[in-house]
Amino acid sequence: MVAGGLEQLKSPAEEDFDVVIAGYGPVGRVLALQLGRRGHRVAVVERQLVSYPLPRAVHFDDEIARLLQSLDASPEQMPHAVEAYDDQYEWRNAAGEPLLQLEWRGGGRSGWNTSYFFHQPSVEAFLHDKVSALGSVTVLRGWEAESRYETEGQITLHVRNADGERRSLTGKYLIGADGANSKVRQWMGTTMTDLGYFHDWLVVDLLPKEPMQVEPPALQICDPLRPTTLVPGGPGRRRFEFLRLEGETKEEFSSEANVWELLKPWGVSPGTADIERRALYTFQARWCDSWRKGRMLLAGDSAHLMPPFAGQGMSSGLRDAANLEWKLDLVLTGRADESILDSYGTERAEHVRHFIERSMQLGEIICLTDPADAAKRDEKMTGDIAAGVSMPAHPAPRLGDGLHRYDHSGGTLSIQAAVRGADKEGLFDDVYGPGGTLLLRKEGLRNELPEDLHAALQATGVRVIALGTVPAADTAVDVSGAYSAWLDEIVADAVLIRPDFYVYGTAVAGEVPELVQEFLGDLQPTKAADARPALTGSSR
């Protein structure tokens, strides 16, 4: 029900939820959609009455495309908002010479294009429609978190609207997806690792009146006189970013008159484009040292911030959501011990650190404003590019310590490729649905897994799929050979893939039961310890 622009709860009984989320940006929406689709009762509190109508993030990668695919929101389902990018991301010096080429062409390991540019308000609206269709999610707009009260079994969030009305929402967990100035983070009192990176950039989003030709479409100009970024902003849109130089005041630099002056060298004028948005940002690099305290957890910008040069800010926040959601689901349904939530922060903090450091590394290249330093940079980097030195599209780090084995591939991102099932051919998740998977190299390996272990594994939401020659409900034909090649690469006959697409661990023939038992034990560490036989004899 909607009154005064607010979605209202229907009765006092509906004040009780499984999860309460503070913040309804991309991370809050995806978390609400994931949990709501699993049947959990979710409340989302957002202090703004309406969604922010202007673009902020503009890029995501193939891993996030797979996450959106799992929510029936793949890039192909949002052509009005998302466009695939199939070119290099090139960095040039003031003379126009290439300094660095990031290979953003072709497909990534998750089965989608390496890169996509998108219009954030349109994507958020698409996701909101899906959230609204769920009877299990309640979105409260215009309500701001004021305080919280935590007990052993639940946490209560006290909220207030602009009219001074107050209400209380109770859940088992409170997720702070409430941005860089997170109130939930303040309540947790966590310290932050801050790498001391501060640069002011003016972000300008344009609606061109005619197509703008930039080659390649994603370009960094490493000119010490004015470092500049040019990237697509989603279908029919362009983004420019300009570094604020020493001596330029924030007010004058971000004025509309100055924006047109900055755009003039690029042939952009009021006659060729409209300014959709202009905003001055201070790019930062930091992450939380603790992501959980009791029943409070953090995700997205509330947990980490990074410069945008690798295009991984929002993607990192959505990785948080994917990591947290499946663990919360298991805990809420009693299929896993609450202690597995401690693995969320340790896994994600180490993982996001690599993306922050890559973003800073790229920022150090472009933000040089001293001509002598820039000349040294240009000499080294033009030499590197002549020698064939290149950089991958984005890092592929291992998760930090947590809920995975420490074998060859535990904690790394799995692949997704085309398969043929019983009645369908396509990407793996489209054929078999999203979720965890124990993937076996051949059908005969199923015989290694006793019925009780098979049933226990399936009860956690992990299905068993074998590669074979005849497609079936639990047998996939590896149409391109990608999965066989991957198993060769990771030296495995079986790989257990978590619902967030990361590898729990691998096994060779004869060791599949051990892999499954270890996974089940990690989900229920107390029960697993109780089930172990007592040790006898002396120890040393």
Side-chain angles (χ1 to χ4, degrees):
M1 296 189 299
V2 179
L6 306 181
E7 297 180 38
Q8 301 294 317
L9 298 175
K10 298 173 185 174
S11 70
E14 290 192 276
E15 303 281 348
D16 293 325
F17 299 88
D18 296 313
V19 176
V20 179
I21 300 172
Y24 196 50
V27 174
R29 286 174 206 235
V30 166
L31 263 175
L33 187 54
Q34 288 176 309
L35 290 166
R37 282 162 61 98
R38 292 186 185 270
H40 299 296
R41 297 196 60 251
V42 180
V44 187
V45 177
E46 169 55 56
R47 64 187 182 90
Q48 300 296 338
L49 280 170
V50 296
S51 295
Y52 189 67
L54 301 175
R56 288 167 292 181
V58 294
H59 175 266
F60 62 80
D61 59 25
D62 58 295
E63 182 183 349
I64 301 309
R66 186 180 183 185
L67 171 59
L68 294 172
Q69 172 195 0
S70 74
L71 300 172
D72 295 322
S74 72
E76 292 177 350
Q77 294 170 278
M78 296 184 286
H80 64 291
V82 179
E83 60 183 347
Y85 186 77
D86 199 22
D87 210 324
Q88 289 182 323
Y89 178 23
E90 190 165 287
W91 296 54
R92 295 176 181 170
N93 63 14
E97 300 169 316
L99 298 178
L100 179 67
Q101 292 174 327
L102 294 173
E103 192 53 73
W104 281 12
R105 292 178 293 199
R109 67 187 292 113
S110 295
W112 293 90
N113 269 53
T114 297
S115 290
Y116 293 86
F117 285 96
F118 73 104
H119 181 240
Q120 183 173 338
S122 298
V123 170
E124 288 190 356
F126 189 88
L127 293 173
H128 174 68
D129 287 344
K130 289 191 169 294
V131 170
S132 298
L134 296 172
S136 53
V137 179
T138 300
V139 180
L140 294 173
R141 293 185 183 273
W143 293 82
E144 186 168 3
E146 277 198 318
S147 61
R148 90 290 178 201
Y149 177 73
E150 185 173 348
T151 62
E152 183 177 345
Q154 63 186 30
I155 185 165
T156 300
L157 180 68
H158 305 294
V159 298
R160 177 182 184 275
N161 68 11
D163 296 327
E165 297 177 82
R166 287 180 168 82
R167 68 197 315 160
S168 299
L169 310 173
T170 297
K172 296 180 177 65
Y173 296 96
L174 169 63
I175 312 301
D178 47 343
N181 299 312
S182 169
K183 186 162 286 187
V184 178
R185 187 182 67 235
Q186 294 173 24
W187 292 335
M188 286 174 56
T190 178
T191 57
M192 299 195 79
T193 295
D194 194 323
L195 301 183
Y197 183 95
F198 298 100
H199 288 286
D200 289 340
W201 282 76
L202 179 62
V203 177
V204 180
D205 288 297
L206 297 177
L207 286 169
K209 297 176 181 178
E210 55 192 45
M212 292 183 61
Q213 299 300 320
V214 178
E215 192 59 41
L219 190 61
Q220 292 278 4
I221 306 299
C222 304
D223 182 351
L225 297 180
R226 175 74 69 193
T228 302
T229 303
L230 297 79
V231 294
R237 290 175 162 84
R238 291 291 309 182
R239 169 168 288 184
F240 284 74
E241 298 175 358
F242 303 96
L243 177 66
R244 184 175 72 90
L245 304 176
E246 187 175 351
E248 294 177 325
T249 67
K250 294 182 178 181
E251 293 74 20
E252 291 178 356
F253 184 62
S254 58
S255 68
E256 183 174 350
N258 189 55
V259 167
W260 289 119
E261 285 298 313
L262 292 168
L263 292 170
K264 188 181 295 184
W266 302 98
V268 180
S269 69
T272 63
D274 293 324
I275 296 174
E276 185 177 23
R277 171 177 173 262
R278 68 182 197 276
L280 192 66
Y281 280 94
T282 300
F283 295 162
Q284 299 181 53
R286 61 180 186 173
W287 65 87
C288 281
D289 298 320
S290 176
W291 294 44
R292 178 193 180 198
K293 183 176 182 181
R295 297 190 171 273
M296 294 184 289
L297 300 104
L298 300 173
D301 286 354
S302 64
H304 47 78
L305 293 171
M306 69 183 73
F309 305 112
Q312 287 293 325
M314 188 194 75
S315 292
S316 294
L318 295 183
R319 290 187 188 97
D320 298 343
N323 186 300
L324 177 58
E325 180 272 335
W326 72 274
K327 295 174 182 176
L328 271 175
D329 175 57
L330 290 176
V331 171
L332 289 168
T333 54
R335 293 175 292 164
D337 190 85
E338 186 180 51
S339 63
I340 71 167
L341 296 177
D342 291 331
S343 70
Y344 164 63
T346 56
E347 288 182 354
R348 289 298 305 134
E350 171 63 15
H351 196 263
V352 79
R353 177 181 67 81
H354 292 273
F355 288 92
I356 292 174
E357 290 176 348
R358 166 65 69 82
S359 297
M360 287 186 63
Q361 178 187 5
L362 295 175
E364 289 168 0
I365 294 171
I366 192 175
C367 291
L368 285 178
T369 55
D370 181 270
D373 290 340
K376 293 177 183 177
R377 172 202 64 197
D378 293 356
E379 181 179 4
K380 178 184 184 304
M381 295 189 71
T382 53
D384 287 345
I385 206 168
V389 176
S390 62
M391 187 178 288
H394 55 75
R398 186 186 299 264
L399 297 173
D401 291 348
L403 191 56
H404 58 84
R405 270 186 167 187
Y406 298 92
D407 58 18
H408 176 43
S409 297
T412 63
L413 183 64
S414 68
I415 71 165
Q416 182 185 212
V419 294
R420 185 181 306 120
D423 54 9
K424 189 175 183 180
E425 181 174 326
L427 290 174
F428 190 97
D429 292 353
D430 286 335
V431 175
Y432 291 99
T437 303
L438 174 63
L439 184 68
L440 306 176
R441 183 187 289 274
K442 55 187 179 180
E443 295 177 78
L445 289 171
R446 282 202 190 94
N447 299 328
E448 289 191 14
L449 201 59
E451 281 296 325
D452 59 337
L453 278 184
H454 193 163
L457 185 63
Q458 287 186 311
T460 69
V462 177
R463 65 277 176 103
V464 180
I465 305 291
L467 301 181
T469 56
V470 179
D474 56 1
T475 303
V477 177
D478 185 11
V479 295
S480 68
Y483 282 104
S484 294
W486 181 47
L487 291 170
D488 289 342
E489 177 191 331
I490 63 178
V491 194
D493 294 312
V495 55
L496 202 162
I497 303 167
R498 310 184 328 180
D500 62 351
F501 320 134
Y502 282 79
V503 173
Y504 170 78
T506 62
V508 295
E511 298 178 355
V512 176
E514 179 184 341
L515 171 65
V516 173
Q517 284 176 322
E518 190 170 337
F519 175 69
L520 296 172
D522 281 349
L523 296 183
Q524 299 276 8
T526 304
K527 291 182 180 178
D530 292 343
R532 294 189 192 107
L535 296 176
T536 58
S538 61
S539 62
R540 57 178 180 171

